[in-house]
């Protein structure tokens, strides 16, 4: 049965509580895998005694992956995990904003760009990425003999961190889910100029996060969007007119969903569409 759209508060604010779809090594494709691993990055695996690390380890083991190595920087509240599949596929998945972590919001609002060697980038995102970079590099060194392919992924803030780390870590694939803009045109040109790198940027209908930070600050997106329409179907490079029409249809469809349960449903589609669940549904049958 296809994964249904979710208007629930839980799907947006606590995506780690959703049931996993990653039960074995037979995932539909790399985007489906990246979307689910990006959701799993919300598990509080770094909290001692919560049982979340054991849960993450068990899910990964069932899918043929090794035990996760946690990449955690408390000072910047930046987090991700690393794991390697039996096939040699290495994955770095980064967590997005958590509703109960004020540090994440402090990271997000540091929108004035700063210079780096590749151009100008979001100050807050860059600080988080730099904090995690040495941890990721150390893990990759240990995986040198096993590694056949490197995938970096993340949802929301996690996608921004993944994008910045893709410059330093030179993955084979970068997949972002509901990712904000990260850098200027010089940064984007440098990122897309990596000959080995495939960039996949997934955007869901009314999701507001990919519309920030604003372009008047010099920010640009890296690569064309793989767009999910209001019914969860994939559109490649839709026109501005098609986007406007689809988003209007999405808002119209959403209104009765919210009215059906105002207490437990997200009030606006531009928020609900950001939930990892509502990205995952497009790639998992």
């Amino acid at each position: 049965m296809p994964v249904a759209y979710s208007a629930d508060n839980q799907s947006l604010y606590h995506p780690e509580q959703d049931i996993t779809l990653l039960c074995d090594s037979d995932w539909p494709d790399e985007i489906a895998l990246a979307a689910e691993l990006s959701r799993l990055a919300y598990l509080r695996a770094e909290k001692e005694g919560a049982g979340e690390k054991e849960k993450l380890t068990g899910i990964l083991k069932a899918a043929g992956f090794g035990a996760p190595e946690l990449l955690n920087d408390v000072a910047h509240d930046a987090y991700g995990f690393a794991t390697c599949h039996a096939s040699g596929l290495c994955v770095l998945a980064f967590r997005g904003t958590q509703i109960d972590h004020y540090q994440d919001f402090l990271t997000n609002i540091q929108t004035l760009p700063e210079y780096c060697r590749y151009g100008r980038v979001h100050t807050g995102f860059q600080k988080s990425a730099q904090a995690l970079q040495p941890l990721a590099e150390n893990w990759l060194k240990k995986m040198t003999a096993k590694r056949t392919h490197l995938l970096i992924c993340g949802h929301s803030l996690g996608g921004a961190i993944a994008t910045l780390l893709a410059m330093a870590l030179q993955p084979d694939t970068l997949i972002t889910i509901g990712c904000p803009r990260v850098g200027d045109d010089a940064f984007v040109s440098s990122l897309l100029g990596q000959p080995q790198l495939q960039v996949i940027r997934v955007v869901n209908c009314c999701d507001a996060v990919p519309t920030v930070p604003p372009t008047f600050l010099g920010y640009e997106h890296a690569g064309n969007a793989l767009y999910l329409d209001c019914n969860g179907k994939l559109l490649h490079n839709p026109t501005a007119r098609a986007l406007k029409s689809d988003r209007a249809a999405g808002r119209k469809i959403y209104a009765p969903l919210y009215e059906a349960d105002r207490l437990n449903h997200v009030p606006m589609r531009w928020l609900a569409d950001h939930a990892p669940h509502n990205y995952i549904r497009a790639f998992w049958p």
Side-chain angles (χ1 to χ4, degrees), residues 205-219:
C205 191
C206 297
D207 186 356
V209 171
T211 69
V212 296
T215 55
F216 68 75
L217 289 177
Y219 288 99

Side-chain angles (χ1 to χ4, degrees), residues 167-284:
M167 292 301 304
L169 304 181
Q170 298 190 319
D172 300 287
T173 310
L174 167 66
I175 299 177
T176 63
I177 311 296
C179 182
R181 298 184 181 100
V182 173
D184 64 5
D185 57 353
F187 170 80
V188 168
S189 294
S190 296
L191 179 69
L192 298 181
Q194 295 187 51
Q196 88 292 348
L197 179 62
Q198 179 185 23
V199 177
I200 300 172
R201 182 172 66 86
V202 189
V203 175
N204 186 22
C205 191
C206 297
D207 186 356
V209 171
T211 69
V212 296
T215 55
F216 68 75
L217 289 177
Y219 288 99
E220 301 289 342
H221 272 304
N224 294 321
L226 187 59
Y227 179 80
L228 309 182
D229 74 6
C230 61
N231 296 307
K233 297 185 182 300
L234 300 180
L235 299 179
H236 294 268
N237 302 323
T239 64
R241 183 175 181 180
L243 287 176
K244 184 177 180 180
S245 175
D246 183 67
R247 286 167 176 160
R251 289 190 292 270
K252 185 176 181 180
I253 292 169
Y254 191 78
L257 281 177
Y258 171 58
E259 292 295 336
D261 190 350
R262 286 188 168 207
L263 181 63
N264 295 303
H265 285 178
V266 180
M268 291 156 289
R269 178 144 190 171
W270 60 266
L271 281 172
D273 276 2
H274 189 58
H277 175 101
N278 291 329
Y279 279 90
I280 289 167
R281 74 182 184 119
F283 302 102
W284 288 82

Side-chain angles (χ1 to χ4, degrees), residues 39-282:
R39 186 193 69 78
L40 290 172
Y42 285 93
L43 285 168
R44 315 291 176 103
E46 74 279 18
K47 290 185 66 174
E48 293 290 337
E52 299 282 81
K53 184 175 182 180
E54 291 76 13
K55 181 177 180 180
L56 175 61
T57 301
I59 292 170
L60 293 174
K61 182 179 180 181
F65 286 93
E69 178 149 330
L70 306 187
L71 312 174
N72 188 36
D73 184 271
V74 176
H76 295 87
D77 198 35
Y79 170 86
F81 69 84
T83 186
C84 186
H85 191 262
S87 65
L89 167 63
C90 287
V91 181
L92 299 171
F94 297 98
R95 178 189 290 161
T97 300
Q98 292 181 301
I99 190 67
D100 54 348
H101 282 212
Y102 76 90
Q103 299 101 316
D104 292 349
F105 293 96
L106 294 179
T107 294
N108 293 337
I109 64 174
Q110 295 177 61
T111 55
L112 290 179
E114 66 177 22
Y115 284 95
C116 70
R117 60 183 294 193
Y118 307 109
R120 295 195 307 160
V121 298
H122 186 287
T123 299
F125 300 160
Q126 175 76 336
K127 288 178 180 178
S128 293
Q130 288 176 333
L132 294 180
Q133 182 176 332
L135 303 177
E137 288 175 335
N138 289 339
W139 181 79
L140 286 171
K141 286 177 184 177
K142 293 187 286 186
M143 294 296 115
T144 300
K146 296 181 180 179
R147 172 180 159 186
T148 59
H149 185 95
L150 176 59
L151 163 65
I152 299 183
C153 60
H155 168 261
S156 192
L157 167 60
I161 293 171
T163 300
L164 287 163
L165 286 178
M167 292 301 304
L169 304 181
Q170 298 190 319
D172 300 287
T173 310
L174 167 66
I175 299 177
T176 63
I177 311 296
C179 182
R181 298 184 181 100
V182 173
D184 64 5
D185 57 353
F187 170 80
V188 168
S189 294
S190 296
L191 179 69
L192 298 181
Q194 295 187 51
Q196 88 292 348
L197 179 62
Q198 179 185 23
V199 177
I200 300 172
R201 182 172 66 86
V202 189
V203 175
N204 186 22
C205 191
C206 297
D207 186 356
V209 171
T211 69
V212 296
T215 55
F216 68 75
L217 289 177
Y219 288 99
E220 301 289 342
H221 272 304
N224 294 321
L226 187 59
Y227 179 80
L228 309 182
D229 74 6
C230 61
N231 296 307
K233 297 185 182 300
L234 300 180
L235 299 179
H236 294 268
N237 302 323
T239 64
R241 183 175 181 180
L243 287 176
K244 184 177 180 180
S245 175
D246 183 67
R247 286 167 176 160
R251 289 190 292 270
K252 185 176 181 180
I253 292 169
Y254 191 78
L257 281 177
Y258 171 58
E259 292 295 336
D261 190 350
R262 286 188 168 207
L263 181 63
N264 295 303
H265 285 178
V266 180
M268 291 156 289
R269 178 144 190 171
W270 60 266
L271 281 172
D273 276 2
H274 189 58
H277 175 101
N278 291 329
Y279 279 90
I280 289 167
R281 74 182 184 119

